[in-house]
Amino acid sequence: MGVKFDPNLMKDLKAFGLKDANKCMHCGNCTAVCPLSTPENTFPRKLIKYAQMGLKDKILKSPEPWLCYYCGDCSDTCPRGADPGETMMVMRRYLTSQYDWTGFSRKFYTSEKFEIIAISIVGIFIGLALWIFHAGNPNMEHAHLNSVWPAPAIEIADIVMGTILAILLLSNTWRCVKFTMGDLLKKIPLEIYITQAKELVIHFLTQRKFGECTDRMQWIVHLLIMTGYSTVFMLVVVFLAGGIHVIGLSWDEIMFQRDVIYPFFHPVRLLGYYATFAILYGTTYAMIGRLKKSKAQYKNSHGTDWMFLILLQLTTLTGIFIHFTRLLDWPMPTYVLYVIHLMVAVPMLVLEVPFAKWAHLAFRPVVLYLMAVKEKYLQEQKGAA
Amino acid sequence: MEKESQLGGFQGNVQKIATFPYKGTEDNDLEALIQEVTQNEKIKVYTGAKVDKTIGGPGVFEATISQNGTTAAHRIGAIVLAAGWQPYDPDKLDEKLGFGASPNVITNVMFEESFNGGKIGRPSDGKDVTNVAFLQCAGQRDPDHLPYCSSMCCVTALKQALQIKAQNVDANVFVVYKEMRTPGQSEDLYLKAQEEGITFIRCQSPEVKVSDESLAVEAEDELLGEAVLMENLDMVVLATGMVPVTAFGMDITQEEKKKDEEEAKKGEEDLDDIPLDVIRRSELLNLEYRQGPELPALRYDFPDSHFICFPYESRRTGIYPAGCVRRPMGIATAQEDAAGAVMKAIQCIELTSNGAAVHPRSGDMTFPEFAMQRCTQCKRCTVECPFGAINEDEEANPLPQITRCRRCGVCMGACPERIISFKNYSVQMIGAMIKAINVPEEDEEKPRILVLACENDAYAALDMAGINRMKYNAWIRVIPLRCLGSMNLVWIADSLSKGIDGIILLGCKHGDDYQCHFVKGSELADIRLSKVSETLDRLALESERVRFETVSIIDYDRLPAVLDEFAETIDEVGPNPFKGW
Ligand code: SF4
Ligand code: SF4
Ligand code: SF4
Ligand code: SF4
């Protein structure tokens, strides 16, 4: 009994941005040139074959899309213009939507309209909430955010948001783990999972694999955006709530977004500066690239790619403005900008982290980690045999 | 001259064609072409006709054509043989391919014939087709069936698949191939088919599974590493290959063998050493040549000389094969081929009317002259002439047909009585050149080596070695020959008895991939040389003294080493004892 062809998958993938994969004639140049493809996990040609044949199950089990960092070498090499790198990108979008049990991600990716409406609704909702629930007597002489929106309230909102995000992201990640590992998941002893855990951390922090690509610039840009974003994420989700007064946990020195202005060399301030610089540089580079279609990976821009960059840059820019208005002690502009800042940042967090591009922040290192686990396991099996 | 009742051949069955620029399928505009031909007053068309016999040679051919019981004779300058092909018999195919097991398993040829002019439907009931599999190489590139690639069936499958897609965009069309072979620009048609969503599966040996009411194909997909099952197929189309019409009919050499077995030989001189051409009675030209009625065949029964080096040439002067009879091809190549062969035919008529030779000694005004008084009717010349240029009269005297002759001199080399010569090339002339070679005395301890080199490739290769400033042994003296086939054994005997220490013959590669400009010249020289051992024995000489080597022009870089090594051997063998006689 052989595998069966399914004509529908290709159509489905088109909605995720697939364009040229059917032109592939399987010469294998892309796999040969890909700096990250290994004999155990060859790609991208194999995935293109899966797509052409409509082998959804095989794609679901494939770790390869997460091993690709989209350096674009393959697309530059392809003699057929089949754009294999973009196919890998599409696979990541597709997998993200498959991992997501809510079905929200799928909608988000396949309908630009839905994407815009969803982001607008969350944004407006946040705006309205901030508008309605503010303290009665804001400080109009000094820029004191907490006088408008008291810290505990923000903290609670943050905890709620953080929890929802965590639940969604973790449950999706769990599905990612289940799909990718299949039966092996339970066969591999826990011990290996534990000993390999450092891989997870290393991959997350260094994106080491990407460094193996020929175009180092892409790695740097990616690393900047990734670390910048993670820093902010930590500041917002952890440090902001790090002073969870409400439940008695607090460490005042590192609280984020408090009315105290920290001295220049305060770690929180430095982290903030780093994140701002990194994200701004990275996103600007990527946006210019996408506008000019300067590299293979920038040639095809899906709606979500733009949305991601725009939201990120807007968040950063409004963040910078707030920083200045606070330093200048202008109350009204600070408050207004803060509302805008949150209207952009919150939708980005709530929608992109579990359902769209930001989710790969979790999926990629997890899959790399799983591959390390699997390799170790297979090695041991071989040793035993 | 068309055998069928109308012009157009197989193309008449075809609805869509795949041709330049191969961006998609195009309408077959055959009708317009037929009109153009029939309305051209310089073209006389016979349909439903047959060539009863062809006599003469270029410029003086006379063809007797019969049509509806009447016959007409025409004087003809040159002939283009575009007799076409037949599909490989699908009944002979491997059972795995399911031909005959279901009416819905058809061939590419049946596809054209049955859907010409309209809807593509399921053969069994005419219903719309939604799932179709094309299986490529049905018999081709398989030593048990057709060992060669038919070069057009991949493109045909792409075209037919696109036709199905054009009829129903949602149809699932599979092409199961060994290797997709889309020569030249037809690669674009492959791309087009992919863009249209046709699915390609690479598999060396697919299997058609027929059970009542259901048709499926199982194929081990090499790119997936797994078997793929295509179910609920409405139709399976097998890509059968092309067989040239010259492949049909009994081979006359086999006939002769039979005859020989019946009546044991009647004291004729043994000519068995000469390899005979395969000539089949395929009833196309019906040549009245001593050597047989049709064109001699090359590999796989295609009637051709070496088609990379000498396209459109056959081994019968003035007859130029074109189209699928020459090699399998698609419509675009066939059109190009027709033009090429016609150009050749025009050249031939021009040159012949001036009394000059055609390719490869184009323009040569000399011709072989036979001093008939001394002819012993040994038949060597008539049998060895690679171009069948020598007929025979009732007394077995050779009757050279000068316009068929290519001036290779093979007959001159073959003739044991040495009665054949050209005005500017004869046994005596080369003999005199040999005589003029200075042979050092034995005490000079310098051997002398003679190289007889084919002037087409070997001599040019020696030149190339010179241009590249390569060095070879100084004992060597070179005499170029028109063709190594014109080498007469008397030159070997003369050289040896004159004291020349070693002789090396440089000729072209022979066999199926021959490069000899005169097809069999170097092969014949090689055969002749094998008989020289007798002479050597008689003279009590070592067999190492004479050697045959094949070279092509690109071998120039290894040529000095070959010659040096030969010189060394000769040095070891020692001086020729006939020196100084
Ligand atoms: S290089 Fe292009 S055509 Fe070749 S296998 Fe890769 S995607 Fe396919
Ligand atoms: S984009 Fe780069 S990493 Fe991804 S498959 Fe292509 S070559 Fe490999
Ligand atoms: S053209 Fe294609 S199907 Fe035909 S013999 Fe060649 S490889 Fe096989
Ligand atoms: S010269 Fe060649 S072609 Fe002419 S008759 Fe002699 S062998 Fe035949």
Side-chain angles (χ1 to χ4, degrees):
Chain A
M1 262 297 138
V3 294
K4 282 178 200 158
F5 169 78
D6 174 4
N8 299 317
L9 182 71
M10 221 37 180
K11 289 178 202 152
D12 199 14
L13 289 176
K14 286 220 170 84
F16 286 86
L18 193 73
K19 267 202 252 141
D20 299 309
N22 49 4
K23 290 188 198 161
C24 166
M25 59 173 177
H26 301 281
C27 65
N29 279 322
C30 50
T31 302
V33 83
C34 172
L36 301 179
S37 169
T38 61
E40 295 78 37
N41 299 105
T42 57
F43 63 94
R45 189 203 61 79
K46 187 170 72 181
L47 274 292
I48 300 173
K49 180 74 184 169
Y50 292 167
Q52 287 178 339
M53 299 293 293
L55 305 177
K56 187 178 152 190
D57 292 348
K58 288 202 190 288
I59 294 174
L60 271 189
K61 281 193 205 134
S62 302
E64 287 86 358
W66 302 113
L67 308 183
C68 157
Y69 283 86
Y70 208 168
C71 63
D73 283 0
C74 54
S75 294
D76 287 339
T77 312
C78 174
R80 274 253 146 160
D83 212 344
E86 188 60 20
T87 306
M88 294 302 275
M89 186 70 226
V90 169
M91 292 288 171
R92 286 190 285 277
R93 292 185 198 129
Y94 180 70
L95 283 179
T96 306
S97 81
Q98 291 292 317
Y99 297 158
D100 174 32
W101 53 271
T102 63
F104 200 81
S105 166
R106 189 183 174 80
K107 284 238 169 69
F108 202 74
Y109 269 126
T110 52
S111 158
E112 228 162 82
K113 226 198 219 150
F114 181 86
E115 181 191 358
I116 294 171
I117 292 174
I119 285 178
S120 313
I121 289 179
V122 178
I124 291 166
F125 175 78
I126 295 294
L128 283 177
L130 287 175
W131 183 252
I132 297 167
F133 301 106
H134 68 80
N137 49 345
N139 188 339
M140 289 314 244
E141 262 143 55
H142 295 286
H144 279 175
L145 280 172
N146 292 149
S147 75
V148 194
W149 298 284
I154 293 284
E155 276 161 22
I156 291 173
D158 192 41
I159 294 170
V160 172
M161 181 182 80
T163 316
I164 296 175
L165 281 187
I167 291 174
L168 285 172
L169 189 60
L170 285 176
S171 57
N172 285 351
T173 310
W174 173 241
R175 277 164 62 90
C176 160
V177 172
K178 252 189 356 195
F179 289 154
T180 334
M181 294 302 273
D183 294 341
L184 265 187
L185 184 62
K186 288 192 192 124
K187 268 198 216 135
I188 300 179
L190 191 63
E191 197 193 319
I192 300 184
Y193 283 106
I194 296 168
T195 53
Q196 291 299 311
K198 71 166 193 307
E199 291 288 316
L200 181 66
V201 181
I202 292 175
H203 282 300
F204 183 80
L205 289 182
T206 62
Q207 311 285 310
R208 196 173 60 190
K209 276 274 165 199
F210 208 166
E212 289 166 20
C213 294
T214 19
D215 184 357
R216 305 278 296 205
M217 191 60 206
Q218 273 323 101
W219 172 53
I220 293 168
V221 169
H222 190 261
L223 197 62
L224 282 176
I225 298 186
M226 189 302 266
T227 49
Y229 185 78
S230 309
T231 312
V232 176
F233 192 79
M234 219 162 57
L235 289 177
V236 174
V237 181
V238 184
F239 290 176
L240 187 123
I244 311 173
H245 288 243
V246 231
I247 52 169
L249 282 173
S250 82
W251 188 23
D252 288 344
E253 274 67 46
I254 57 160
M255 283 193 297
F256 180 62
Q257 274 183 11
R258 292 302 188 275
D259 286 340
V260 226
I261 293 188
Y262 293 127
F264 191 80
F265 285 109
H266 187 279
V268 169
R269 197 160 160 184
L270 285 184
L271 280 177
Y273 282 143
Y274 170 72
T276 312
F277 161 76
I279 297 180
L280 213 54
Y281 185 87
T283 50
T284 310
Y285 183 88
M287 281 172 118
I288 293 176
R290 281 193 189 276
L291 278 175
K292 287 197 185 157
K293 302 187 190 293
S294 62
K295 293 183 181 176
Q297 58 273 49
Y298 290 150
K299 282 213 178 88
N300 298 294
S301 302
H302 191 261
T304 49
D305 297 329
W306 279 116
M307 187 59 87
F308 162 77
L309 288 173
I310 292 170
L311 291 182
L312 198 51
Q313 194 147 52
L314 275 182
T315 312
T316 318
L317 287 176
T318 47
I320 295 174
F321 292 151
I322 295 172
H323 186 65
F324 284 119
T325 52
R326 280 180 66 201
L327 286 181
L328 293 169
D329 207 10
W330 293 347
M332 203 50 201
T334 306
Y335 305 152
V336 173
L337 280 171
Y338 187 67
V339 173
I340 298 176
H341 181 67
L342 287 190
M343 281 174 73
V344 181
V346 173
M348 178 177 72
L349 284 175
V350 176
L351 298 174
E352 298 259 350
V353 169
F355 302 127
K357 193 148 181 147
W358 275 123
H360 84 277
L361 201 76
F363 300 152
R364 194 192 293 281
V366 163
V367 170
L368 278 170
Y369 160 68
L370 291 175
M371 286 305 106
V373 167
K374 189 169 153 187
E375 196 183 321
K376 183 85 193 195
Y377 171 71
L378 292 180
Q379 254 174 22
E380 281 183 10
Q381 290 293 96
K382 226 199 248 160
Chain B
M1 216 295 302
E2 166 65 59
K3 181 175 75 182
E4 306 296 334
S5 58
Q6 25 173 319
L7 290 179
F10 182 76
Q11 282 298 303
N13 300 321
V14 173
Q15 192 194 2
K16 293 277 181 186
I17 56 171
T19 183
F20 294 111
Y22 291 107
K23 301 289 183 209
T25 62
E26 265 152 63
D27 288 332
N28 187 4
D29 58 353
L30 189 66
E31 274 312 313
L33 190 62
I34 293 176
Q35 287 260 316
E36 219 177 303
V37 169
T38 46
Q39 281 166 10
N40 188 319
E41 53 192 34
K42 291 190 178 160
I43 303 176
K44 168 109 184 94
V45 178
Y46 284 98
T47 50
K50 178 176 179 300
V51 178
D52 286 340
K53 70 172 184 198
T54 309
I55 58 171
V60 293
F61 280 122
E62 195 177 287
T64 312
I65 297 170
S66 67
Q67 186 191 30
N68 305 327
T70 61
T71 60
H74 282 282
R75 174 82 176 270
I76 286 163
I79 298 170
V80 172
L81 179 73
W85 58 285
Q86 289 287 316
Y88 184 72
D89 181 1
D91 287 322
K92 289 193 201 149
L93 290 175
D94 196 328
E95 255 178 56
K96 262 177 97 174
L97 292 173
F99 188 81
S102 156
N104 294 330
V105 179
I106 63 171
T107 67
N108 47 5
V109 170
M110 291 160 76
F111 183 105
E112 297 295 343
E113 286 166 347
S114 17
F115 307 131
N116 178 18
K119 192 183 130 184
I120 300 160
R122 192 153 68 182
S124 58
D125 54 11
K127 278 215 189 95
D128 285 349
V129 288
T130 43
N131 297 309
V132 180
F134 287 85
L135 307 190
Q136 296 311 103
C137 289
Q140 296 90 289
R141 309 207 284 138
D142 175 344
D144 297 332
H145 298 278
L146 284 186
Y148 52 88
C149 167
S150 270
S151 98
M152 60 79 216
C153 14
C154 280
V155 177
T156 302
L158 294 173
K159 178 193 76 173
Q160 293 174 344
L162 282 168
Q163 277 177 273
I164 293 174
K165 272 283 186 188
Q167 182 176 302
N168 174 7
V169 224
D170 292 324
N172 296 314
V173 185
F174 305 93
V175 177
V176 183
Y177 64 97
K178 280 200 220 171
E179 278 89 29
M180 225 31 215
R181 292 194 168 175
T182 47
Q185 260 170 276
S186 63
E187 181 77 9
D188 283 357
L189 197 68
Y190 180 17
L191 186 60
K192 167 84 180 163
Q194 288 185 305
E195 283 168 349
E196 294 300 316
I198 291 160
T199 307
F200 290 84
I201 292 168
R202 180 173 160 147
C203 166
Q204 297 300 321
S205 173
E207 192 176 347
V208 178
K209 302 195 157 171
V210 183
S211 61
D212 22 63
E213 291 304 296
S214 100
L215 190 56
V217 171
E218 193 178 309
E220 184 70 31
D221 190 331
E222 291 180 335
L223 297 169
L224 201 59
E226 253 177 276
V228 176
L229 189 65
M230 289 153 265
E231 288 176 311
N232 302 321
L233 295 173
D234 297 306
M235 182 160 79
V236 169
V237 184
L238 305 177
T240 50
M242 284 180 165
V243 184
V245 288
T246 44
F248 301 92
M250 178 82 159
D251 175 8
I252 57 158
T253 54
Q254 300 303 316
E255 285 174 10
E256 252 154 44
K257 240 185 222 153
K258 263 195 206 150
K259 236 193 281 166
D260 287 351
E261 275 159 26
E262 283 157 19
E263 38 176 305
K265 286 206 173 161
K266 296 178 196 156
E268 235 177 48
E269 202 213 326
D270 186 11
L271 294 169
D272 271 1
D273 51 340
I274 297 157
L276 289 170
D277 295 327
V278 174
I279 296 179
R280 295 187 183 279
R281 292 197 185 282
S282 39
E283 301 278 329
L284 300 167
L285 295 161
N286 289 313
L287 299 168
E288 289 207 342
Y289 281 23
R290 188 218 172 254
Q291 293 79 0
E294 301 292 334
L295 299 181
L298 192 65
R299 216 177 346 183
Y300 315 133
D301 285 321
F302 287 93
D304 194 82
S305 62
H306 193 294
F307 59 61
I308 291 175
C309 295
F310 320 120
Y312 320 117
E313 288 292 342
S314 75
R315 299 190 206 176
R316 294 294 175 256
T317 313
I319 305 177
Y320 302 100
C324 302
V325 78
R326 186 170 83 87
R327 65 176 179 79
M329 60 179 74
I331 184 69
T333 324
Q335 280 173 327
E336 202 177 271
D337 236 41
V342 167
M343 299 284 231
K344 277 276 183 183
I346 294 170
Q347 266 178 7
C348 169
I349 295 171
E350 278 284 316
L351 287 163
T352 308
S353 62
N354 294 335
V358 298
H359 168 95
R361 293 188 60 80
S362 183
D364 189 345
M365 300 295 284
T366 64
F367 49 86
E369 292 167 51
F370 292 67
M372 286 306 293
Q373 318 82 293
R374 286 189 283 130
C375 173
T376 59
Q377 291 92 26
C378 73
K379 292 176 190 268
R380 282 262 158 208
C381 58
T382 49
V383 175
E384 292 199 20
C385 170
F387 302 100
I390 308 175
N391 273 3
E392 208 168 68
D393 68 8
E394 301 79 54
E395 268 111 64
N397 287 309
L399 275 182
Q401 308 287 307
I402 291 309
T403 64
R404 289 189 216 159
C405 168
R406 309 257 184 124
R407 286 52 159 181
C408 58
V410 167
C411 49
M412 175 180 120
C415 180
E417 300 299 316
R418 304 188 287 283
I419 63 162
I420 306 173
S421 60
F422 297 77
K423 281 259 166 355
N424 55 4
Y425 188 58
S426 67
V427 176
Q428 291 74 11
M429 278 167 60
I430 303 293
M433 287 163 97
I434 292 171
K435 215 170 271 159
I437 293 174
N438 164 280
V439 180
E441 295 298 326
E442 192 174 338
D443 51 16
E444 287 180 52
E445 298 202 334
K446 259 202 293 192
R448 179 58 73 222
I449 293 166
L450 172 64
V451 172
L452 293 176
C454 152
E455 69 180 10
N456 300 297
D457 257 42
Y459 193 72
L462 282 167
D463 261 355
M464 291 270 280
I467 289 167
N468 286 286
R469 299 196 172 269
M470 301 177 83
K471 287 202 168 70
Y472 55 78
N473 197 291
W475 302 336
I476 282 165
R477 296 293 176 270
V478 184
I479 296 179
L481 303 183
R482 275 192 186 184
C483 167
L484 214 51
S486 66
M487 188 256 332
N488 195 297
L489 282 181
V490 76
W491 299 335
I492 308 288
D494 284 356
S495 311
L496 291 171
S497 51
K498 179 179 150 61
I500 287 177
D501 300 273
I503 304 166
I504 181 161
L505 306 187
L506 299 179
C508 299
K509 203 167 113 189
H510 48 79
D512 272 339
D513 296 320
Y514 71 88
Q515 293 179 346
C516 176
H517 285 51
F518 300 100
V519 187
K520 290 201 298 189
S522 68
E523 185 177 11
L524 291 167
D526 200 2
I527 294 167
R528 264 177 231 154
L529 202 65
S530 64
K531 282 183 291 184
V532 96
S533 54
E534 270 169 51
T535 324
L536 291 174
D537 284 349
R538 204 177 59 230
L539 299 172
L541 285 173
E542 301 79 357
S543 61
E544 290 96 317
R545 290 192 189 276
V546 186
R547 189 192 285 181
F548 179 92
E549 284 283 342
T550 57
V551 284
S552 75
I553 192 150
I554 53 168
D555 290 333
Y556 72 90
D557 59 330
R558 66 171 188 99
L559 204 46
V562 170
L563 296 175
D564 288 346
E565 189 267 327
F566 184 64
E568 241 167 69
T569 314
I570 296 301
D571 203 22
E572 271 163 36
V573 173
N576 182 339
F578 289 93
K579 264 185 214 298
W581 279 49

